[in-house]
mmCIF file of all heavy atoms in Angstrom:
data_model
loop_
_atom_site.group_PDB
_atom_site.id
_atom_site.type_symbol
_atom_site.label_atom_id
_atom_site.label_comp_id
_atom_site.label_asym_id
_atom_site.label_seq_id
_atom_site.Cartn_x
_atom_site.Cartn_y
_atom_site.Cartn_z
ATOM 1 N N CYS A 1 131.805 122.871 49.455
ATOM 2 C CA CYS A 1 131.485 121.391 49.695
ATOM 3 C C CYS A 1 131.624 120.995 51.152
ATOM 4 O O CYS A 1 131.438 119.848 51.497
ATOM 5 C CB CYS A 1 132.314 120.487 48.850
ATOM 6 S SG CYS A 1 133.997 120.691 49.084
ATOM 7 N N VAL A 2 131.967 121.987 52.024
ATOM 8 C CA VAL A 2 132.069 121.795 53.480
ATOM 9 C C VAL A 2 133.013 120.727 53.834
ATOM 10 O O VAL A 2 132.885 120.035 54.870
ATOM 11 C CB VAL A 2 130.702 121.505 54.072
ATOM 12 C CG1 VAL A 2 130.691 121.799 55.626
ATOM 13 C CG2 VAL A 2 129.629 122.456 53.488
ATOM 14 N N SER A 3 134.128 120.536 53.054
ATOM 15 C CA SER A 3 135.145 119.650 53.532
ATOM 16 C C SER A 3 136.000 120.259 54.515
ATOM 17 O O SER A 3 136.309 121.464 54.496
ATOM 18 C CB SER A 3 135.971 119.165 52.340
ATOM 19 O OG SER A 3 136.898 120.144 51.894
ATOM 20 N N SER A 4 136.523 119.524 55.431
ATOM 21 C CA SER A 4 137.432 120.094 56.532
ATOM 22 C C SER A 4 138.706 120.586 56.050
ATOM 23 O O SER A 4 139.289 121.475 56.596
ATOM 24 C CB SER A 4 137.482 119.123 57.635
ATOM 25 O OG SER A 4 138.167 117.966 57.267
ATOM 26 N N SER A 5 139.207 119.983 54.884
ATOM 27 C CA SER A 5 140.541 120.386 54.427
ATOM 28 C C SER A 5 140.472 121.479 53.350
ATOM 29 O O SER A 5 141.580 121.975 52.920
ATOM 30 C CB SER A 5 141.231 119.173 53.895
ATOM 31 O OG SER A 5 140.481 118.631 52.820
ATOM 32 N N ARG A 6 139.343 121.866 52.954
ATOM 33 C CA ARG A 6 139.130 122.975 51.981
ATOM 34 C C ARG A 6 139.816 122.649 50.672
ATOM 35 O O ARG A 6 141.113 122.682 50.608
ATOM 36 C CB ARG A 6 139.541 124.337 52.532
ATOM 37 C CG ARG A 6 138.886 124.758 53.795
ATOM 38 C CD ARG A 6 137.607 125.463 53.404
ATOM 39 N NE ARG A 6 137.016 126.103 54.600
ATOM 40 C CZ ARG A 6 135.914 125.764 55.130
ATOM 41 N NH1 ARG A 6 135.167 124.797 54.580
ATOM 42 N NH2 ARG A 6 135.543 126.315 56.176
ATOM 43 N N CYS A 7 139.102 122.436 49.655
ATOM 44 C CA CYS A 7 139.638 122.105 48.298
ATOM 45 C C CYS A 7 140.268 123.333 47.688
ATOM 46 O O CYS A 7 140.130 124.377 48.216
ATOM 47 C CB CYS A 7 138.556 121.481 47.430
ATOM 48 S SG CYS A 7 137.204 122.712 47.138
ATOM 49 N N LYS A 8 140.979 123.215 46.592
ATOM 50 C CA LYS A 8 141.644 124.336 45.955
ATOM 51 C C LYS A 8 140.680 125.276 45.400
ATOM 52 O O LYS A 8 141.084 126.506 45.295
ATOM 53 C CB LYS A 8 142.588 123.748 44.797
ATOM 54 C CG LYS A 8 143.650 122.794 45.221
ATOM 55 C CD LYS A 8 144.741 123.443 45.798
ATOM 56 C CE LYS A 8 145.872 122.501 46.178
ATOM 57 N NZ LYS A 8 146.859 123.160 46.952
ATOM 58 N N ARG A 9 139.582 124.947 45.065
ATOM 59 C CA ARG A 9 138.621 125.910 44.517
ATOM 60 C C ARG A 9 137.495 126.354 45.424
ATOM 61 O O ARG A 9 136.534 126.927 44.973
ATOM 62 C CB ARG A 9 137.968 125.272 43.244
ATOM 63 C CG ARG A 9 138.892 125.185 42.057
ATOM 64 C CD ARG A 9 138.302 124.432 40.808
ATOM 65 N NE ARG A 9 137.129 125.132 40.504
ATOM 66 C CZ ARG A 9 136.045 124.516 40.084
ATOM 67 N NH1 ARG A 9 136.008 123.174 39.931
ATOM 68 N NH2 ARG A 9 134.931 125.092 39.674
ATOM 69 N N CYS A 10 137.645 126.105 46.729
ATOM 70 C CA CYS A 10 136.683 126.480 47.740
ATOM 71 C C CYS A 10 136.481 127.950 47.711
ATOM 72 O O CYS A 10 137.485 128.741 47.907
ATOM 73 C CB CYS A 10 137.089 125.985 49.073
ATOM 74 S SG CYS A 10 135.937 126.401 50.369
ATOM 75 N N PRO A 11 135.310 128.506 47.595
ATOM 76 C CA PRO A 11 135.076 129.986 47.583
ATOM 77 C C PRO A 11 135.377 130.624 48.959
ATOM 78 O O PRO A 11 135.935 131.740 48.984
ATOM 79 C CB PRO A 11 133.630 130.111 47.280
ATOM 80 C CG PRO A 11 133.006 128.795 47.505
ATOM 81 C CD PRO A 11 134.160 127.763 47.339
ATOM 82 N N ILE A 12 135.259 129.877 50.037
ATOM 83 C CA ILE A 12 135.585 130.375 51.437
ATOM 84 C C ILE A 12 137.132 130.579 51.522
ATOM 85 O O ILE A 12 137.548 131.491 52.036
ATOM 86 C CB ILE A 12 135.015 129.518 52.489
ATOM 87 C CG1 ILE A 12 133.490 129.451 52.405
ATOM 88 C CG2 ILE A 12 135.435 129.921 53.862
ATOM 89 C CD1 ILE A 12 132.829 128.455 53.366
ATOM 90 N N ARG A 13 137.837 129.546 51.056
ATOM 91 C CA ARG A 13 139.299 129.654 51.202
ATOM 92 C C ARG A 13 139.804 130.746 50.229
ATOM 93 O O ARG A 13 140.676 131.480 50.628
ATOM 94 C CB ARG A 13 139.878 128.325 50.741
ATOM 95 C CG ARG A 13 141.441 128.255 50.837
ATOM 96 C CD ARG A 13 142.045 127.067 50.286
ATOM 97 N NE ARG A 13 141.735 126.959 48.850
ATOM 98 C CZ ARG A 13 142.394 127.647 47.928
ATOM 99 N NH1 ARG A 13 143.393 128.404 48.135
ATOM 100 N NH2 ARG A 13 142.135 127.416 46.679
ATOM 101 N N MET A 14 139.236 130.862 49.074
ATOM 102 C CA MET A 14 139.754 131.885 48.066
ATOM 103 C C MET A 14 139.362 133.299 48.616
ATOM 104 O O MET A 14 140.118 134.207 48.372
ATOM 105 C CB MET A 14 139.066 131.575 46.770
ATOM 106 C CG MET A 14 139.597 130.419 46.052
ATOM 107 S SD MET A 14 138.875 130.090 44.497
ATOM 108 C CE MET A 14 139.750 131.246 43.432
ATOM 109 N N LEU A 15 138.265 133.452 49.276
ATOM 110 C CA LEU A 15 137.987 134.758 49.826
ATOM 111 C C LEU A 15 138.921 135.131 51.018
ATOM 112 O O LEU A 15 139.390 136.301 51.097
ATOM 113 C CB LEU A 15 136.460 134.717 50.466
ATOM 114 C CG LEU A 15 136.000 136.028 51.163
ATOM 115 C CD1 LEU A 15 135.759 137.072 50.062
ATOM 116 C CD2 LEU A 15 134.645 135.673 51.806
ATOM 117 N N LYS A 16 139.351 134.123 51.768
ATOM 118 C CA LYS A 16 140.174 134.415 52.931
ATOM 119 C C LYS A 16 141.577 134.716 52.407
ATOM 120 O O LYS A 16 142.229 135.683 52.863
ATOM 121 C CB LYS A 16 140.295 133.144 53.833
ATOM 122 C CG LYS A 16 141.140 133.338 55.043
ATOM 123 C CD LYS A 16 141.144 132.157 55.943
ATOM 124 C CE LYS A 16 142.008 132.279 57.112
ATOM 125 N NZ LYS A 16 142.106 131.177 57.991
ATOM 126 N N GLU A 17 141.971 134.026 51.310
ATOM 127 C CA GLU A 17 143.367 134.337 50.748
ATOM 128 C C GLU A 17 143.478 135.607 49.876
ATOM 129 O O GLU A 17 144.466 135.979 49.514
ATOM 130 C CB GLU A 17 143.779 133.069 49.922
ATOM 131 C CG GLU A 17 144.176 131.872 50.768
ATOM 132 C CD GLU A 17 144.478 130.718 49.884
ATOM 133 O OE1 GLU A 17 144.298 130.770 48.637
ATOM 134 O OE2 GLU A 17 144.957 129.619 50.448
ATOM 135 N N GLY A 18 142.205 136.043 49.473
ATOM 136 C CA GLY A 18 142.201 137.172 48.581
ATOM 137 C C GLY A 18 142.366 136.864 47.162
ATOM 138 O O GLY A 18 142.649 137.754 46.339
ATOM 139 N N THR A 19 142.064 135.551 46.696
ATOM 140 C CA THR A 19 142.225 135.203 45.406
ATOM 141 C C THR A 19 140.902 135.052 44.606
ATOM 142 O O THR A 19 140.883 134.642 43.564
ATOM 143 C CB THR A 19 142.983 133.882 45.217
ATOM 144 O OG1 THR A 19 142.304 132.847 45.998
ATOM 145 C CG2 THR A 19 144.421 133.947 45.741
ATOM 146 N N LEU A 20 139.912 135.455 45.360
ATOM 147 C CA LEU A 20 138.552 135.443 44.739
ATOM 148 C C LEU A 20 138.473 136.538 43.533
ATOM 149 O O LEU A 20 138.959 137.664 43.714
ATOM 150 C CB LEU A 20 137.534 135.747 45.780
ATOM 151 C CG LEU A 20 136.117 135.214 45.621
ATOM 152 C CD1 LEU A 20 136.073 133.681 45.445
ATOM 153 C CD2 LEU A 20 135.161 135.687 46.694
ATOM 154 N N PRO A 21 137.869 136.196 42.390
ATOM 155 C CA PRO A 21 137.799 137.245 41.270
ATOM 156 C C PRO A 21 137.076 138.431 41.692
ATOM 157 O O PRO A 21 136.237 138.366 42.520
ATOM 158 C CB PRO A 21 137.135 136.508 40.197
ATOM 159 C CG PRO A 21 137.219 135.059 40.576
ATOM 160 C CD PRO A 21 137.388 134.961 41.996
ATOM 161 N N PRO A 22 137.485 139.536 41.108
ATOM 162 C CA PRO A 22 136.853 140.824 41.492
ATOM 163 C C PRO A 22 135.292 140.761 41.128
ATOM 164 O O PRO A 22 134.910 140.204 40.056
ATOM 165 C CB PRO A 22 137.451 141.992 40.777
ATOM 166 C CG PRO A 22 138.380 141.194 39.768
ATOM 167 C CD PRO A 22 138.434 139.790 40.131
ATOM 168 N N GLY A 23 134.477 141.310 41.938
ATOM 169 C CA GLY A 23 132.968 141.311 41.668
ATOM 170 C C GLY A 23 132.310 140.123 42.206
ATOM 171 O O GLY A 23 131.068 139.975 42.011
ATOM 172 N N TYR A 24 132.962 139.312 43.056
ATOM 173 C CA TYR A 24 132.388 138.105 43.677
ATOM 174 C C TYR A 24 132.590 138.209 45.186
ATOM 175 O O TYR A 24 133.573 138.772 45.621
ATOM 176 C CB TYR A 24 132.944 136.856 43.152
ATOM 177 C CG TYR A 24 132.509 136.576 41.723
ATOM 178 C CD1 TYR A 24 133.311 136.905 40.725
ATOM 179 C CD2 TYR A 24 131.354 135.807 41.493
ATOM 180 C CE1 TYR A 24 132.977 136.578 39.360
ATOM 181 C CE2 TYR A 24 130.850 135.580 40.196
ATOM 182 C CZ TYR A 24 131.719 135.926 39.191
ATOM 183 O OH TYR A 24 131.330 135.591 37.898
ATOM 184 N N THR A 25 131.675 137.607 45.868
ATOM 185 C CA THR A 25 131.910 137.344 47.424
ATOM 186 C C THR A 25 131.193 136.062 47.818
ATOM 187 O O THR A 25 130.571 135.444 46.911
ATOM 188 C CB THR A 25 131.310 138.595 48.196
ATOM 189 O OG1 THR A 25 131.707 138.521 49.434
ATOM 190 C CG2 THR A 25 129.847 138.663 48.094
ATOM 191 N N VAL A 26 131.235 135.766 48.998
ATOM 192 C CA VAL A 26 130.702 134.441 49.504
ATOM 193 C C VAL A 26 129.611 134.836 50.614
ATOM 194 O O VAL A 26 129.977 135.591 51.430
ATOM 195 C CB VAL A 26 131.734 133.501 50.070
ATOM 196 C CG1 VAL A 26 131.069 132.226 50.596
ATOM 197 C CG2 VAL A 26 132.772 133.242 49.058
ATOM 198 N N LYS A 27 128.361 134.407 50.432
ATOM 199 C CA LYS A 27 127.398 134.458 51.444
ATOM 200 C C LYS A 27 126.694 133.199 51.616
ATOM 201 O O LYS A 27 126.229 132.571 50.712
ATOM 202 C CB LYS A 27 126.309 135.506 50.993
ATOM 203 C CG LYS A 27 126.809 136.941 50.893
ATOM 204 C CD LYS A 27 125.790 137.939 50.578
ATOM 205 C CE LYS A 27 126.422 139.346 50.583
ATOM 206 N NZ LYS A 27 125.382 140.330 50.239
ATOM 207 N N LYS A 28 126.608 132.761 52.926
ATOM 208 C CA LYS A 28 126.008 131.448 53.308
ATOM 209 C C LYS A 28 126.603 130.334 52.457
ATOM 210 O O LYS A 28 125.779 129.466 51.953
ATOM 211 C CB LYS A 28 124.488 131.547 53.087
ATOM 212 C CG LYS A 28 123.918 132.534 54.045
ATOM 213 C CD LYS A 28 122.286 132.486 53.863
ATOM 214 C CE LYS A 28 121.707 133.524 54.811
ATOM 215 N NZ LYS A 28 120.167 133.462 54.717
ATOM 216 N N ARG A 29 127.934 130.344 52.375
ATOM 217 C CA ARG A 29 128.636 129.263 51.641
ATOM 218 C C ARG A 29 128.365 129.161 50.180
ATOM 219 O O ARG A 29 128.806 128.211 49.563
ATOM 220 C CB ARG A 29 128.413 127.839 52.288
ATOM 221 C CG ARG A 29 128.929 127.716 53.709
ATOM 222 C CD ARG A 29 128.797 126.328 54.149
ATOM 223 N NE ARG A 29 129.286 126.238 55.542
ATOM 224 C CZ ARG A 29 130.596 126.010 55.851
ATOM 225 N NH1 ARG A 29 131.443 125.839 54.910
ATOM 226 N NH2 ARG A 29 130.866 125.866 57.202
ATOM 227 N N ARG A 30 127.798 130.120 49.659
ATOM 228 C CA ARG A 30 127.575 130.201 48.132
ATOM 229 C C ARG A 30 128.229 131.406 47.500
ATOM 230 O O ARG A 30 128.377 132.423 48.114
ATOM 231 C CB ARG A 30 126.103 130.293 47.859
ATOM 232 C CG ARG A 30 125.378 129.054 48.300
ATOM 233 C CD ARG A 30 123.899 129.169 47.774
ATOM 234 N NE ARG A 30 123.201 127.919 48.233
ATOM 235 C CZ ARG A 30 123.064 126.890 47.396
ATOM 236 N NH1 ARG A 30 123.494 126.852 46.192
ATOM 237 N NH2 ARG A 30 122.419 125.803 47.822
ATOM 238 N N LEU A 31 128.754 131.247 46.328
ATOM 239 C CA LEU A 31 129.384 132.287 45.585
ATOM 240 C C LEU A 31 128.341 133.187 44.996
ATOM 241 O O LEU A 31 127.369 132.767 44.390
ATOM 242 C CB LEU A 31 130.261 131.669 44.452
ATOM 243 C CG LEU A 31 131.066 132.642 43.657
ATOM 244 C CD1 LEU A 31 132.179 133.133 44.525
ATOM 245 C CD2 LEU A 31 131.631 131.870 42.434
ATOM 246 N N VAL A 32 128.406 134.542 45.318
ATOM 247 C CA VAL A 32 127.450 135.504 44.694
ATOM 248 C C VAL A 32 128.195 136.570 44.000
ATOM 249 O O VAL A 32 129.352 136.936 44.439
ATOM 250 C CB VAL A 32 126.512 136.054 45.822
ATOM 251 C CG1 VAL A 32 125.626 134.958 46.338
ATOM 252 C CG2 VAL A 32 127.344 136.699 46.941
ATOM 253 N N LYS A 33 127.614 137.071 43.016
ATOM 254 C CA LYS A 33 128.139 138.265 42.267
ATOM 255 C C LYS A 33 127.678 139.630 42.888
ATOM 256 O O LYS A 33 126.503 139.728 43.206
ATOM 257 C CB LYS A 33 127.650 138.183 40.828
ATOM 258 C CG LYS A 33 128.400 139.210 39.940
ATOM 259 C CD LYS A 33 128.375 138.627 38.502
ATOM 260 C CE LYS A 33 129.149 139.650 37.696
ATOM 261 N NZ LYS A 33 130.348 139.185 37.174
ATOM 262 N N ILE A 34 128.561 140.491 43.052
ATOM 263 C CA ILE A 34 128.283 141.819 43.746
ATOM 264 C C ILE A 34 127.936 142.768 42.549
ATOM 265 O O ILE A 34 128.503 142.852 41.543
ATOM 266 C CB ILE A 34 129.635 142.348 44.441
ATOM 267 C CG1 ILE A 34 129.957 141.473 45.526
ATOM 268 C CG2 ILE A 34 129.242 143.687 44.971
ATOM 269 C CD1 ILE A 34 131.289 141.914 46.107
ATOM 270 N N GLU A 35 126.883 143.466 42.766
ATOM 271 C CA GLU A 35 126.462 144.611 41.876
ATOM 272 C C GLU A 35 127.224 145.787 42.209
ATOM 273 O O GLU A 35 127.297 146.260 43.426
ATOM 274 C CB GLU A 35 124.978 144.932 41.956
ATOM 275 C CG GLU A 35 124.093 143.835 41.263
ATOM 276 C CD GLU A 35 122.660 144.250 41.280
ATOM 277 O OE1 GLU A 35 122.416 145.508 41.211
ATOM 278 O OE2 GLU A 35 121.842 143.420 41.347
#
């Protein structure tokens, strides 16, 4: 959602912290599934 404070469910913040579920990544601010 491009908020400056980053919400709790932000995919960018979760990727940085390493809490993103396995099989997912972030590309162009969108959550994408990895094959």
Side-chain angles (χ1 to χ4, degrees):
C1 58
V2 196
S3 75
S4 60
S5 61
R6 300 271 188 246
C7 63
K8 297 283 185 194
R9 292 178 50 219
C10 180
I12 295 172
R13 184 190 60 78
M14 292 179 81
L15 179 67
K16 184 177 179 182
E17 291 178 350
T19 57
L20 207 59
Y24 288 95
T25 190
V26 178
K27 290 186 181 178
K28 296 185 180 179
R29 295 190 181 271
R30 292 186 181 264
L31 186 70
V32 292
K33 189 152 179 116
I34 300 172
E35 284 186 31

